[in-house]
Amino acid sequence: MIATFIPPDKLGTPPMSESPWALLPTASNHAAALDTLYVFITILCVISMILIIGAQLYFMVKYRKRSDNDRTNPITHNTKLEIGWSVIPSLFLIVIFVWGEVQFMDMSSPPANAIDVRITGQKWQWTVAYPQFPGGPSLSCPGNAADCEPTEKTPTLYVPLNEPVRLTMNSVDVIHSFYIPAFRVKKDVVPGRYSNLWFTAIEEGEFPVFCTEYCGDEHSSMLAKVIVLPKSEWAATVKKATELKLEEGETMAHYGERLYGINGCAACHTLDGETKVGPSFKGLYGRTEQLSDGSSLAADDNYIRESILEPNAKVVAGYSPQMPSFQGKLKDEQITALIEFIKAQK
Ligand code: HEC
Ligand SMILES: [Cu+2]
């Protein structure tokens, strides 16, 4: 099993900033306040470093051993100095703690009128869903349209400018971490519980999202993006982006191919015979599959349907049961379209 690294531009994620030397954009309400705290701590560290290293160098010279029979009186302690070097840094630590705590409390308490968005982490894809706009996952191409390039199928979080947004996040497998550097927000996304993040975007544009908790082979390509839009365009854009249906004049197999891209099947199943995490779809339909329990069967419609809904019911010999279930995520018509698409991979 060889992990394939997909460079960020192939996944359609925007660059972090215009030049590698530029500072990050401060695109959320939290960003400037956090940067100030960060700069304060950095300056404090630099001053402490200069004082400590400076004193060391000075003492090295001043109190160096001058001759073989140097008889300087040993100094045991100096109460004033010791209290001073304990109390003064402690005061600074208390300032950092209180400042950080106030900032942390603010970042942990979303305003009541925040717009709710759900984020799901799954090896190795983020899924963005809006409770107020049920539909397909939110991707960067308009309407998940049939003519979208694969690079346009980046999971995309659309947020309105100057409106608070609360993310409720969970993972269906391992620990992931949702990180938007331009907003200075990051939170672990943990299986079996929900974690929250909130922010108000204050700058229009596209910003990258990373997974920052190592979650397996293709962790580095678990990317997404945030698009900040004027409030007036937001609802219509989200509605279009989550619309997922068989388009006029589209074949079932083509719809299936879109679903294969949109649902992240491509992360584990190739179409060219190469093995990734799961078996390739090439030549799958109709072939005799060896299962891990020693039995074998012909890969027909029912077997493929079951493989999608209950992947662990029958595990292909030589593979580990790593496939997530798509129960409740795909409608019947969509499973049929996927089967038609797999059938076409001769
Ligand atoms: C995280 C990786 C992963 C993802 C994502 C994934 N699968 Fe799988 N899939 C596997 C693995 C591993 C197996 C083999 C073990 C097993 O049978 O459960 C498998 C098996 C299958 C099989 C049976 C293959 C055979 O050769 O008999 C089908 C069909 C299938 N997957 C369809 C899908 C579809 C459709 C999607 C997307 C909607 C999908 N898978 C997404 C990992 C994945
Ligand atoms: Cu991850």
Side-chain angles (χ1 to χ4, degrees), residues 21-56:
W21 307 107
L23 293 175
L24 291 177
T26 43
S28 86
N29 59 323
H30 306 307
L34 276 178
D35 285 2
T36 312
L37 174 56
Y38 178 77
V39 168
F40 172 76
I41 295 175
T42 308
I43 290 173
L44 210 61
C45 290
V46 170
I47 293 174
S48 320
M49 188 194 80
I50 291 171
L51 288 178
I52 293 169
I53 307 279
Q56 272 179 351

PDB file of all heavy atoms in Angstrom, residues 21-56:
ATOM      1  N   TRP A  21       7.182  34.648   2.695  1.00  0.00           N
ATOM      2  CA  TRP A  21       7.697  35.566   3.704  1.00  0.00           C
ATOM      3  C   TRP A  21       6.588  36.406   4.332  1.00  0.00           C
ATOM      4  O   TRP A  21       6.800  37.051   5.340  1.00  0.00           O
ATOM      5  CB  TRP A  21       8.762  36.500   3.108  1.00  0.00           C
ATOM      6  CG  TRP A  21       9.829  35.724   2.416  1.00  0.00           C
ATOM      7  CD1 TRP A  21      10.029  35.620   1.067  1.00  0.00           C
ATOM      8  CD2 TRP A  21      10.817  34.885   3.032  1.00  0.00           C
ATOM      9  NE1 TRP A  21      11.087  34.777   0.811  1.00  0.00           N
ATOM     10  CE2 TRP A  21      11.586  34.316   1.989  1.00  0.00           C
ATOM     11  CE3 TRP A  21      11.123  34.561   4.349  1.00  0.00           C
ATOM     12  CZ2 TRP A  21      12.639  33.438   2.232  1.00  0.00           C
ATOM     13  CZ3 TRP A  21      12.175  33.692   4.587  1.00  0.00           C
ATOM     14  CH2 TRP A  21      12.918  33.136   3.529  1.00  0.00           C
ATOM     15  N   ALA A  22       5.429  36.400   3.680  1.00  0.00           N
ATOM     16  CA  ALA A  22       4.348  37.258   4.186  1.00  0.00           C
ATOM     17  C   ALA A  22       3.747  36.660   5.444  1.00  0.00           C
ATOM     18  O   ALA A  22       3.745  35.450   5.634  1.00  0.00           O
ATOM     19  CB  ALA A  22       3.284  37.399   3.109  1.00  0.00           C
ATOM     20  N   LEU A  23       3.209  37.494   6.318  1.00  0.00           N
ATOM     21  CA  LEU A  23       2.507  36.994   7.500  1.00  0.00           C
ATOM     22  C   LEU A  23       1.136  36.486   7.061  1.00  0.00           C
ATOM     23  O   LEU A  23       0.641  36.823   5.997  1.00  0.00           O
ATOM     24  CB  LEU A  23       2.354  38.117   8.526  1.00  0.00           C
ATOM     25  CG  LEU A  23       3.676  38.585   9.134  1.00  0.00           C
ATOM     26  CD1 LEU A  23       3.435  39.777  10.036  1.00  0.00           C
ATOM     27  CD2 LEU A  23       4.327  37.463   9.934  1.00  0.00           C
ATOM     28  N   LEU A  24       0.532  35.659   7.908  1.00  0.00           N
ATOM     29  CA  LEU A  24      -0.785  35.130   7.573  1.00  0.00           C
ATOM     30  C   LEU A  24      -1.814  36.254   7.547  1.00  0.00           C
ATOM     31  O   LEU A  24      -1.701  37.198   8.323  1.00  0.00           O
ATOM     32  CB  LEU A  24      -1.211  34.139   8.656  1.00  0.00           C
ATOM     33  CG  LEU A  24      -0.450  32.835   8.727  1.00  0.00           C
ATOM     34  CD1 LEU A  24      -0.965  32.020   9.906  1.00  0.00           C
ATOM     35  CD2 LEU A  24      -0.653  32.057   7.451  1.00  0.00           C
ATOM     36  N   PRO A  25      -2.820  36.119   6.710  1.00  0.00           N
ATOM     37  CA  PRO A  25      -3.896  37.113   6.768  1.00  0.00           C
ATOM     38  C   PRO A  25      -4.607  37.029   8.125  1.00  0.00           C
ATOM     39  O   PRO A  25      -4.677  35.949   8.727  1.00  0.00           O
ATOM     40  CB  PRO A  25      -4.843  36.691   5.637  1.00  0.00           C
ATOM     41  CG  PRO A  25      -4.379  35.377   5.143  1.00  0.00           C
ATOM     42  CD  PRO A  25      -3.019  35.106   5.670  1.00  0.00           C
ATOM     43  N   THR A  26      -5.089  38.144   8.612  1.00  0.00           N
ATOM     44  CA  THR A  26      -5.843  38.126   9.876  1.00  0.00           C
ATOM     45  C   THR A  26      -7.314  38.215   9.516  1.00  0.00           C
ATOM     46  O   THR A  26      -7.921  39.277   9.580  1.00  0.00           O
ATOM     47  CB  THR A  26      -5.444  39.301  10.779  1.00  0.00           C
ATOM     48  OG1 THR A  26      -5.351  40.453   9.953  1.00  0.00           O
ATOM     49  CG2 THR A  26      -4.124  39.081  11.459  1.00  0.00           C
ATOM     50  N   ALA A  27      -7.879  37.054   9.147  1.00  0.00           N
ATOM     51  CA  ALA A  27      -9.182  37.065   8.499  1.00  0.00           C
ATOM     52  C   ALA A  27     -10.359  36.754   9.421  1.00  0.00           C
ATOM     53  O   ALA A  27     -11.464  36.585   8.939  1.00  0.00           O
ATOM     54  CB  ALA A  27      -9.158  36.095   7.309  1.00  0.00           C
ATOM     55  N   SER A  28     -10.128  36.636  10.739  1.00  0.00           N
ATOM     56  CA  SER A  28     -11.277  36.424  11.625  1.00  0.00           C
ATOM     57  C   SER A  28     -11.199  37.362  12.816  1.00  0.00           C
ATOM     58  O   SER A  28     -10.170  38.009  13.057  1.00  0.00           O
ATOM     59  CB  SER A  28     -11.344  34.979  12.119  1.00  0.00           C
ATOM     60  OG  SER A  28     -10.542  34.818  13.277  1.00  0.00           O
ATOM     61  N   ASN A  29     -12.283  37.408  13.591  1.00  0.00           N
ATOM     62  CA  ASN A  29     -12.338  38.265  14.775  1.00  0.00           C
ATOM     63  C   ASN A  29     -11.271  37.884  15.803  1.00  0.00           C
ATOM     64  O   ASN A  29     -10.815  38.719  16.564  1.00  0.00           O
ATOM     65  CB  ASN A  29     -13.732  38.180  15.407  1.00  0.00           C
ATOM     66  CG  ASN A  29     -14.090  36.765  15.824  1.00  0.00           C
ATOM     67  OD1 ASN A  29     -13.747  35.808  15.140  1.00  0.00           O
ATOM     68  ND2 ASN A  29     -14.773  36.619  16.934  1.00  0.00           N
ATOM     69  N   HIS A  30     -10.877  36.595  15.855  1.00  0.00           N
ATOM     70  CA  HIS A  30      -9.895  36.173  16.859  1.00  0.00           C
ATOM     71  C   HIS A  30      -8.458  36.520  16.473  1.00  0.00           C
ATOM     72  O   HIS A  30      -7.585  36.584  17.326  1.00  0.00           O
ATOM     73  CB  HIS A  30      -9.932  34.652  17.050  1.00  0.00           C
ATOM     74  CG  HIS A  30     -11.279  34.100  17.375  1.00  0.00           C
ATOM     75  ND1 HIS A  30     -12.049  34.578  18.409  1.00  0.00           N
ATOM     76  CD2 HIS A  30     -11.989  33.108  16.808  1.00  0.00           C
ATOM     77  CE1 HIS A  30     -13.179  33.885  18.455  1.00  0.00           C
ATOM     78  NE2 HIS A  30     -13.173  32.997  17.501  1.00  0.00           N
ATOM     79  N   ALA A  31      -8.227  36.669  15.160  1.00  0.00           N
ATOM     80  CA  ALA A  31      -6.848  36.663  14.664  1.00  0.00           C
ATOM     81  C   ALA A  31      -5.974  37.767  15.268  1.00  0.00           C
ATOM     82  O   ALA A  31      -4.898  37.485  15.802  1.00  0.00           O
ATOM     83  CB  ALA A  31      -6.851  36.736  13.141  1.00  0.00           C
ATOM     84  N   ALA A  32      -6.451  39.014  15.235  1.00  0.00           N
ATOM     85  CA  ALA A  32      -5.598  40.117  15.678  1.00  0.00           C
ATOM     86  C   ALA A  32      -5.298  39.997  17.174  1.00  0.00           C
ATOM     87  O   ALA A  32      -4.159  40.191  17.610  1.00  0.00           O
ATOM     88  CB  ALA A  32      -6.264  41.449  15.354  1.00  0.00           C
ATOM     89  N   ALA A  33      -6.317  39.626  17.969  1.00  0.00           N
ATOM     90  CA  ALA A  33      -6.123  39.517  19.420  1.00  0.00           C
ATOM     91  C   ALA A  33      -5.104  38.422  19.746  1.00  0.00           C
ATOM     92  O   ALA A  33      -4.231  38.604  20.598  1.00  0.00           O
ATOM     93  CB  ALA A  33      -7.457  39.221  20.091  1.00  0.00           C
ATOM     94  N   LEU A  34      -5.214  37.296  19.059  1.00  0.00           N
ATOM     95  CA  LEU A  34      -4.267  36.208  19.312  1.00  0.00           C
ATOM     96  C   LEU A  34      -2.858  36.591  18.893  1.00  0.00           C
ATOM     97  O   LEU A  34      -1.893  36.256  19.561  1.00  0.00           O
ATOM     98  CB  LEU A  34      -4.702  34.945  18.567  1.00  0.00           C
ATOM     99  CG  LEU A  34      -5.731  34.108  19.306  1.00  0.00           C
ATOM    100  CD1 LEU A  34      -6.132  32.911  18.461  1.00  0.00           C
ATOM    101  CD2 LEU A  34      -5.163  33.621  20.627  1.00  0.00           C
ATOM    102  N   ASP A  35      -2.761  37.298  17.761  1.00  0.00           N
ATOM    103  CA  ASP A  35      -1.439  37.731  17.297  1.00  0.00           C
ATOM    104  C   ASP A  35      -0.784  38.648  18.326  1.00  0.00           C
ATOM    105  O   ASP A  35       0.419  38.563  18.577  1.00  0.00           O
ATOM    106  CB  ASP A  35      -1.551  38.458  15.950  1.00  0.00           C
ATOM    107  CG  ASP A  35      -1.801  37.483  14.810  1.00  0.00           C
ATOM    108  OD1 ASP A  35      -1.915  36.267  15.089  1.00  0.00           O
ATOM    109  OD2 ASP A  35      -1.882  37.927  13.652  1.00  0.00           O
ATOM    110  N   THR A  36      -1.575  39.542  18.948  1.00  0.00           N
ATOM    111  CA  THR A  36      -1.018  40.462  19.947  1.00  0.00           C
ATOM    112  C   THR A  36      -0.453  39.684  21.130  1.00  0.00           C
ATOM    113  O   THR A  36       0.663  39.943  21.583  1.00  0.00           O
ATOM    114  CB  THR A  36      -2.120  41.435  20.437  1.00  0.00           C
ATOM    115  OG1 THR A  36      -2.783  41.952  19.296  1.00  0.00           O
ATOM    116  CG2 THR A  36      -1.539  42.567  21.243  1.00  0.00           C
ATOM    117  N   LEU A  37      -1.220  38.704  21.604  1.00  0.00           N
ATOM    118  CA  LEU A  37      -0.746  37.872  22.717  1.00  0.00           C
ATOM    119  C   LEU A  37       0.528  37.128  22.318  1.00  0.00           C
ATOM    120  O   LEU A  37       1.505  37.057  23.075  1.00  0.00           O
ATOM    121  CB  LEU A  37      -1.853  36.882  23.119  1.00  0.00           C
ATOM    122  CG  LEU A  37      -1.505  35.836  24.176  1.00  0.00           C
ATOM    123  CD1 LEU A  37      -1.005  36.484  25.454  1.00  0.00           C
ATOM    124  CD2 LEU A  37      -2.728  34.969  24.491  1.00  0.00           C
ATOM    125  N   TYR A  38       0.509  36.619  21.099  1.00  0.00           N
ATOM    126  CA  TYR A  38       1.657  35.864  20.607  1.00  0.00           C
ATOM    127  C   TYR A  38       2.910  36.747  20.529  1.00  0.00           C
ATOM    128  O   TYR A  38       4.000  36.348  20.966  1.00  0.00           O
ATOM    129  CB  TYR A  38       1.301  35.293  19.227  1.00  0.00           C
ATOM    130  CG  TYR A  38       2.408  34.540  18.566  1.00  0.00           C
ATOM    131  CD1 TYR A  38       2.727  33.250  18.970  1.00  0.00           C
ATOM    132  CD2 TYR A  38       3.150  35.115  17.544  1.00  0.00           C
ATOM    133  CE1 TYR A  38       3.764  32.548  18.377  1.00  0.00           C
ATOM    134  CE2 TYR A  38       4.181  34.428  16.945  1.00  0.00           C
ATOM    135  CZ  TYR A  38       4.480  33.153  17.367  1.00  0.00           C
ATOM    136  OH  TYR A  38       5.501  32.475  16.766  1.00  0.00           O
ATOM    137  N   VAL A  39       2.737  37.972  20.030  1.00  0.00           N
ATOM    138  CA  VAL A  39       3.871  38.887  19.920  1.00  0.00           C
ATOM    139  C   VAL A  39       4.374  39.264  21.322  1.00  0.00           C
ATOM    140  O   VAL A  39       5.577  39.309  21.575  1.00  0.00           O
ATOM    141  CB  VAL A  39       3.472  40.142  19.104  1.00  0.00           C
ATOM    142  CG1 VAL A  39       4.523  41.245  19.220  1.00  0.00           C
ATOM    143  CG2 VAL A  39       3.278  39.766  17.646  1.00  0.00           C
ATOM    144  N   PHE A  40       3.426  39.476  22.262  1.00  0.00           N
ATOM    145  CA  PHE A  40       3.797  39.794  23.642  1.00  0.00           C
ATOM    146  C   PHE A  40       4.671  38.672  24.225  1.00  0.00           C
ATOM    147  O   PHE A  40       5.732  38.915  24.795  1.00  0.00           O
ATOM    148  CB  PHE A  40       2.524  39.982  24.485  1.00  0.00           C
ATOM    149  CG  PHE A  40       2.787  40.120  25.960  1.00  0.00           C
ATOM    150  CD1 PHE A  40       3.286  41.311  26.480  1.00  0.00           C
ATOM    151  CD2 PHE A  40       2.532  39.061  26.827  1.00  0.00           C
ATOM    152  CE1 PHE A  40       3.533  41.436  27.842  1.00  0.00           C
ATOM    153  CE2 PHE A  40       2.778  39.176  28.189  1.00  0.00           C
ATOM    154  CZ  PHE A  40       3.278  40.366  28.704  1.00  0.00           C
ATOM    155  N   ILE A  41       4.227  37.411  24.052  1.00  0.00           N
ATOM    156  CA  ILE A  41       4.988  36.282  24.604  1.00  0.00           C
ATOM    157  C   ILE A  41       6.358  36.184  23.922  1.00  0.00           C
ATOM    158  O   ILE A  41       7.382  35.950  24.574  1.00  0.00           O
ATOM    159  CB  ILE A  41       4.202  34.959  24.453  1.00  0.00           C
ATOM    160  CG1 ILE A  41       2.936  35.020  25.305  1.00  0.00           C
ATOM    161  CG2 ILE A  41       5.052  33.752  24.852  1.00  0.00           C
ATOM    162  CD1 ILE A  41       2.011  33.830  25.148  1.00  0.00           C
ATOM    163  N   THR A  42       6.376  36.402  22.610  1.00  0.00           N
ATOM    164  CA  THR A  42       7.653  36.316  21.892  1.00  0.00           C
ATOM    165  C   THR A  42       8.632  37.373  22.399  1.00  0.00           C
ATOM    166  O   THR A  42       9.801  37.085  22.674  1.00  0.00           O
ATOM    167  CB  THR A  42       7.423  36.487  20.375  1.00  0.00           C
ATOM    168  OG1 THR A  42       6.410  35.567  19.984  1.00  0.00           O
ATOM    169  CG2 THR A  42       8.686  36.214  19.585  1.00  0.00           C
ATOM    170  N   ILE A  43       8.150  38.618  22.553  1.00  0.00           N
ATOM    171  CA  ILE A  43       9.037  39.690  23.028  1.00  0.00           C
ATOM    172  C   ILE A  43       9.551  39.369  24.434  1.00  0.00           C
ATOM    173  O   ILE A  43      10.738  39.510  24.739  1.00  0.00           O
ATOM    174  CB  ILE A  43       8.299  41.050  22.994  1.00  0.00           C
ATOM    175  CG1 ILE A  43       8.079  41.468  21.535  1.00  0.00           C
ATOM    176  CG2 ILE A  43       9.099  42.131  23.730  1.00  0.00           C
ATOM    177  CD1 ILE A  43       7.233  42.700  21.366  1.00  0.00           C
ATOM    178  N   LEU A  44       8.637  38.872  25.292  1.00  0.00           N
ATOM    179  CA  LEU A  44       9.020  38.501  26.647  1.00  0.00           C
ATOM    180  C   LEU A  44      10.126  37.432  26.625  1.00  0.00           C
ATOM    181  O   LEU A  44      11.098  37.496  27.374  1.00  0.00           O
ATOM    182  CB  LEU A  44       7.783  37.947  27.351  1.00  0.00           C
ATOM    183  CG  LEU A  44       7.683  38.137  28.838  1.00  0.00           C
ATOM    184  CD1 LEU A  44       7.680  39.632  29.163  1.00  0.00           C
ATOM    185  CD2 LEU A  44       6.406  37.489  29.353  1.00  0.00           C
ATOM    186  N   CYS A  45       9.966  36.459  25.735  1.00  0.00           N
ATOM    187  CA  CYS A  45      10.959  35.379  25.631  1.00  0.00           C
ATOM    188  C   CYS A  45      12.303  35.930  25.170  1.00  0.00           C
ATOM    189  O   CYS A  45      13.349  35.522  25.679  1.00  0.00           O
ATOM    190  CB  CYS A  45      10.496  34.301  24.655  1.00  0.00           C
ATOM    191  SG  CYS A  45       9.110  33.362  25.277  1.00  0.00           S
ATOM    192  N   VAL A  46      12.256  36.843  24.200  1.00  0.00           N
ATOM    193  CA  VAL A  46      13.513  37.394  23.680  1.00  0.00           C
ATOM    194  C   VAL A  46      14.219  38.178  24.791  1.00  0.00           C
ATOM    195  O   VAL A  46      15.432  38.025  25.014  1.00  0.00           O
ATOM    196  CB  VAL A  46      13.252  38.284  22.440  1.00  0.00           C
ATOM    197  CG1 VAL A  46      14.512  39.045  22.043  1.00  0.00           C
ATOM    198  CG2 VAL A  46      12.765  37.426  21.287  1.00  0.00           C
ATOM    199  N   ILE A  47      13.453  38.998  25.543  1.00  0.00           N
ATOM    200  CA  ILE A  47      14.067  39.771  26.637  1.00  0.00           C
ATOM    201  C   ILE A  47      14.655  38.818  27.685  1.00  0.00           C
ATOM    202  O   ILE A  47      15.802  38.988  28.118  1.00  0.00           O
ATOM    203  CB  ILE A  47      13.026  40.728  27.262  1.00  0.00           C
ATOM    204  CG1 ILE A  47      12.645  41.803  26.240  1.00  0.00           C
ATOM    205  CG2 ILE A  47      13.586  41.388  28.533  1.00  0.00           C
ATOM    206  CD1 ILE A  47      11.513  42.714  26.682  1.00  0.00           C
ATOM    207  N   SER A  48      13.908  37.781  28.077  1.00  0.00           N
ATOM    208  CA  SER A  48      14.435  36.831  29.068  1.00  0.00           C
ATOM    209  C   SER A  48      15.689  36.169  28.556  1.00  0.00           C
ATOM    210  O   SER A  48      16.656  35.967  29.303  1.00  0.00           O
ATOM    211  CB  SER A  48      13.435  35.715  29.380  1.00  0.00           C
ATOM    212  OG  SER A  48      12.162  36.216  29.463  1.00  0.00           O
ATOM    213  N   MET A  49      15.666  35.820  27.260  1.00  0.00           N
ATOM    214  CA  MET A  49      16.837  35.139  26.716  1.00  0.00           C
ATOM    215  C   MET A  49      18.062  36.046  26.792  1.00  0.00           C
ATOM    216  O   MET A  49      19.132  35.626  27.229  1.00  0.00           O
ATOM    217  CB  MET A  49      16.581  34.718  25.279  1.00  0.00           C
ATOM    218  CG  MET A  49      17.672  33.849  24.724  1.00  0.00           C
ATOM    219  SD  MET A  49      17.572  33.677  22.952  1.00  0.00           S
ATOM    220  CE  MET A  49      18.299  35.207  22.440  1.00  0.00           C
ATOM    221  N   ILE A  50      17.874  37.319  26.408  1.00  0.00           N
ATOM    222  CA  ILE A  50      19.003  38.252  26.437  1.00  0.00           C
ATOM    223  C   ILE A  50      19.505  38.399  27.878  1.00  0.00           C
ATOM    224  O   ILE A  50      20.715  38.352  28.144  1.00  0.00           O
ATOM    225  CB  ILE A  50      18.589  39.620  25.843  1.00  0.00           C
ATOM    226  CG1 ILE A  50      18.355  39.456  24.339  1.00  0.00           C
ATOM    227  CG2 ILE A  50      19.666  40.686  26.102  1.00  0.00           C
ATOM    228  CD1 ILE A  50      17.750  40.665  23.665  1.00  0.00           C
ATOM    229  N   LEU A  51      18.581  38.551  28.848  1.00  0.00           N
ATOM    230  CA  LEU A  51      18.992  38.722  30.241  1.00  0.00           C
ATOM    231  C   LEU A  51      19.729  37.484  30.751  1.00  0.00           C
ATOM    232  O   LEU A  51      20.782  37.586  31.385  1.00  0.00           O
ATOM    233  CB  LEU A  51      17.765  38.999  31.118  1.00  0.00           C
ATOM    234  CG  LEU A  51      17.134  40.392  30.947  1.00  0.00           C
ATOM    235  CD1 LEU A  51      15.910  40.529  31.840  1.00  0.00           C
ATOM    236  CD2 LEU A  51      18.152  41.474  31.273  1.00  0.00           C
ATOM    237  N   ILE A  52      19.195  36.302  30.483  1.00  0.00           N
ATOM    238  CA  ILE A  52      19.794  35.076  31.040  1.00  0.00           C
ATOM    239  C   ILE A  52      21.132  34.767  30.377  1.00  0.00           C
ATOM    240  O   ILE A  52      22.158  34.584  31.045  1.00  0.00           O
ATOM    241  CB  ILE A  52      18.824  33.888  30.904  1.00  0.00           C
ATOM    242  CG1 ILE A  52      17.604  34.135  31.806  1.00  0.00           C
ATOM    243  CG2 ILE A  52      19.500  32.571  31.279  1.00  0.00           C
ATOM    244  CD1 ILE A  52      16.460  33.182  31.573  1.00  0.00           C
ATOM    245  N   ILE A  53      21.123  34.746  29.028  1.00  0.00           N
ATOM    246  CA  ILE A  53      22.372  34.421  28.333  1.00  0.00           C
ATOM    247  C   ILE A  53      23.412  35.524  28.596  1.00  0.00           C
ATOM    248  O   ILE A  53      24.601  35.260  28.810  1.00  0.00           O
ATOM    249  CB  ILE A  53      22.148  34.268  26.805  1.00  0.00           C
ATOM    250  CG1 ILE A  53      21.018  33.276  26.533  1.00  0.00           C
ATOM    251  CG2 ILE A  53      23.441  33.872  26.096  1.00  0.00           C
ATOM    252  CD1 ILE A  53      21.379  31.836  26.592  1.00  0.00           C
ATOM    253  N   GLY A  54      22.929  36.785  28.622  1.00  0.00           N
ATOM    254  CA  GLY A  54      23.833  37.915  28.888  1.00  0.00           C
ATOM    255  C   GLY A  54      24.496  37.764  30.253  1.00  0.00           C
ATOM    256  O   GLY A  54      25.719  37.905  30.381  1.00  0.00           O
ATOM    257  N   ALA A  55      23.684  37.455  31.289  1.00  0.00           N
ATOM    258  CA  ALA A  55      24.234  37.285  32.637  1.00  0.00           C
ATOM    259  C   ALA A  55      25.226  36.126  32.649  1.00  0.00           C
ATOM    260  O   ALA A  55      26.309  36.215  33.242  1.00  0.00           O
ATOM    261  CB  ALA A  55      23.101  37.039  33.629  1.00  0.00           C
ATOM    262  N   GLN A  56      24.894  35.053  31.968  1.00  0.00           N
ATOM    263  CA  GLN A  56      25.799  33.897  31.915  1.00  0.00           C
ATOM    264  C   GLN A  56      27.158  34.286  31.339  1.00  0.00           C
ATOM    265  O   GLN A  56      28.207  33.974  31.907  1.00  0.00           O
ATOM    266  CB  GLN A  56      25.202  32.793  31.032  1.00  0.00           C
ATOM    267  CG  GLN A  56      24.310  31.847  31.794  1.00  0.00           C
ATOM    268  CD  GLN A  56      23.733  30.781  30.877  1.00  0.00           C
ATOM    269  OE1 GLN A  56      23.867  30.857  29.661  1.00  0.00           O
ATOM    270  NE2 GLN A  56      23.099  29.802  31.459  1.00  0.00           N
TER     271      GLN A  56
END
